Amino acid sequence: MIVLKAAQEKVLGALQAVSGIVERRHTLPILANVLIRKTGSQVELTSSDLEIQVRTTAEFDGDASNFATTVGARKLIDILRSLPADQTVTLSAAQNKLTLQGGKSRFTLQTLPADDFPLVQEAADFGPVFSVPQKTLKTLINQVHFAMAVHDIRYYLNGILFVAEGKSLTLVATDGHRLALAQANLDVEIPKQEVILPRKTVLELQRLLKDGKDDKDGKDEKDNAPIEMRFAGNQAKFSFSGMEFVTKLVEGKFPDYNRVIPKNHKNHVTLGRAPLLASLQRAAILTSEKFKGVRVNIEPGVLRIASSNAEQEEAKEELEVDYDGDAIEIGFNVTYLMDALANMSVEMVKLELQDTNSSALFTVPEQAGFKYVVMPMRI
């Protein structure tokens, strides 16, 4: 039976959309598979890791009958990638196996029963649906994702705080040493929500959301459509670009981010983002593997960056700045500074300082909703 028949790039695109959450190694072998459910010409592809489930639907040529199975997602993608983009591929099923044929290439893959695939149990009481432009949400995620914790024992830090209220949408991420906040004003009122999205969900949304840059002359309505969101007690559901995304939420109390953001720092300087990033990247070369510290000295007219390591090697950088505040020497983890600057697409950034022992605040002159706080380190 022919499950589907289409151009390689169309089949690959649909598979790649759902395969981001698939783990290569899992306690349940079937979770390395993608669920393929065919109803006439409509083919539904679903992946799951027990906490996140991603589903997309596409129209393909093939037999008119209904059919369902699961097959190794990564293997199928690797095979498709190896074939020419414009080649027509056929996926057919027979005797617990799937055969992929493209040109004179033929691959036979083992399958597992569709009934054994563990779908995520969706909440029965999702709240009201609301929507925001995909580009808006992706921009906010891009501005804060790097500050999320990774495998922190404080599990509520391994994700992003999502706060919606009125016409404002705020995303906050922190790992305890730095904090990134991005806020956008929306055209419509949205119901009040405050949830923590898991790290894996955030990175997957960042990968899948459209930002308008890839649109083909704006003709693809799916790419330009907003993302629809619904929340339950411990689950969120997102629908966008022909996809449905269900995820568990992180339970726990996120830190009071408003208390962390410095207010009324008396010393501030506005300088070019790219020159500052380049200087930090050069200084980072001579920091030690474990100790990523750099010293920042600022005084009227000049900002200096210095680093050294156990081999007594050192780097010194100097930038001319328009600054007439206090002379301050402060240490930072250089990675924390570079992460923020590398994820911005603006020309100028504003640095606000109080003294050697107080957190620094980075803002962007033309983006009132962005704030990045970095704690100092002793050097």
Side-chain angles (χ1 to χ4, degrees):
M1 187 191 82
I2 297 175
V3 180
L4 61 86
K5 185 177 183 180
Q8 175 267 7
E9 57 186 350
K10 185 178 179 182
V11 183
L12 181 60
L15 271 165
Q16 285 177 324
V18 300
S19 66
I21 63 168
V22 176
E23 306 284 355
R24 284 191 183 272
R25 294 179 182 174
H26 215 291
T27 48
L28 285 175
I30 199 167
L31 289 177
N33 287 12
V34 60
L35 171 63
I36 302 174
R37 193 177 294 281
K38 171 180 166 61
T39 308
S41 62
Q42 198 170 71
V43 177
E44 189 180 83
L45 303 173
T46 307
S47 63
S48 169
D49 71 355
L50 298 181
E51 295 194 344
I52 305 171
Q53 180 174 292
V54 185
R55 176 177 289 148
T56 189
T57 305
E59 294 277 338
F60 294 111
D61 292 333
D63 293 347
S65 54
N66 299 342
F67 172 76
T69 190
T70 78
V71 66
R74 301 288 180 191
K75 284 179 186 172
L76 196 53
I77 284 173
D78 288 346
I79 292 167
L80 284 164
R81 277 184 182 145
S82 71
L83 297 171
D86 58 349
Q87 188 170 80
T88 298
V89 295
T90 304
L91 199 62
S92 52
Q95 298 175 335
N96 300 327
K97 292 192 176 176
L98 277 182
T99 300
L100 178 71
Q101 204 159 355
K104 295 186 177 180
S105 303
R106 183 185 175 92
F107 305 85
T108 303
L109 300 171
Q110 192 62 255
T111 63
L112 289 170
D115 292 343
D116 294 347
F117 193 81
L119 296 169
V120 170
Q121 187 69 41
E122 291 188 28
D125 55 345
F126 277 105
V129 65
F130 64 95
S131 61
V132 300
Q134 286 191 52
K135 184 177 180 180
T136 299
L137 183 57
K138 182 160 186 170
T139 299
L140 293 179
I141 291 175
N142 287 345
Q143 289 179 313
V144 303
H145 76 279
F146 55 86
M148 288 187 292
V150 184
H151 303 309
D152 197 295
I153 193 167
R154 298 163 294 179
Y155 52 89
Y156 48 84
L157 298 184
N158 301 316
I160 278 181
L161 179 68
F162 179 104
V163 183
E165 189 169 9
K167 289 189 174 182
S168 174
L169 178 59
T170 306
L171 267 57
V172 188
T174 180
D175 61 7
H177 303 287
R178 52 177 169 172
L179 179 145
L181 177 150
Q183 193 171 61
N185 293 318
L186 306 173
D187 296 331
V188 294
E189 294 262 345
I190 50 180
K192 186 173 181 180
Q193 302 286 346
E194 188 165 325
V195 299
I196 304 173
L197 300 175
R199 177 184 177 83
K200 190 172 179 181
T201 296
V202 170
L203 298 177
E204 198 59 17
L205 283 172
Q206 186 183 27
R207 183 179 78 89
L208 293 171
L209 288 169
K210 308 291 183 184
D211 57 11
K213 292 177 184 173
D214 301 324
D215 293 351
K216 297 169 185 173
D217 304 321
K219 291 177 183 175
D220 194 334
E221 289 182 14
K222 275 187 183 179
D223 288 359
N224 293 324
I227 174 170
E228 293 186 343
M229 310 181 196
R230 298 179 74 188
F231 294 94
N234 66 340
Q235 260 186 4
K237 183 188 281 190
F238 305 103
S239 301
F240 58 98
S241 301
M243 301 188 65
E244 185 183 270
F245 192 110
V246 179
T247 177
K248 260 189 173 180
L249 297 172
V250 179
E251 295 180 19
K253 179 68 176 166
F254 200 83
D256 183 356
Y257 57 90
N258 283 313
R259 286 180 57 193
V260 177
I261 298 170
K263 313 259 189 321
N264 305 316
H265 273 2
K266 60 180 179 178
N267 302 294
H268 47 83
V269 59
T270 301
L271 67 167
R273 180 195 66 87
L276 177 58
L277 176 58
S279 292
L280 289 166
Q281 287 170 332
R282 290 191 292 268
I285 295 167
L286 293 188
T287 57
S288 58
E289 287 278 324
K290 293 180 181 177
F291 187 70
K292 287 287 187 182
V294 293
R295 289 187 310 280
V296 175
N297 276 278
I298 186 166
E299 55 189 63
V302 65
L303 182 145
R304 297 186 180 90
I305 301 164
S307 65
S308 57
N309 57 31
E311 287 80 41
Q312 297 185 331
E313 298 169 326
E314 59 181 10
K316 291 182 178 178
E317 291 282 332
E318 196 170 292
L319 293 167
E320 289 183 11
V321 292
D322 183 10
Y323 176 75
D324 58 3
D326 300 339
I328 296 172
E329 179 174 341
I330 186 168
F332 292 112
N333 180 319
V334 70
T335 305
Y336 295 165
L337 300 182
M338 293 191 302
D339 281 349
L341 295 168
N343 281 281
M344 296 178 189
S345 56
V346 296
E347 281 191 27
M348 307 298 287
V349 293
K350 185 178 181 181
L351 170 61
E352 299 182 31
L353 297 163
Q354 185 67 20
D355 52 45
T356 299
N357 301 312
S358 301
S359 294
L361 173 64
F362 282 88
T363 56
V364 177
E366 63 262 39
Q367 290 177 11
F370 176 78
K371 292 179 174 67
Y372 182 62
V373 183
V374 194
M375 288 177 64
M377 70 184 292
R378 290 171 185 259
I379 295 181

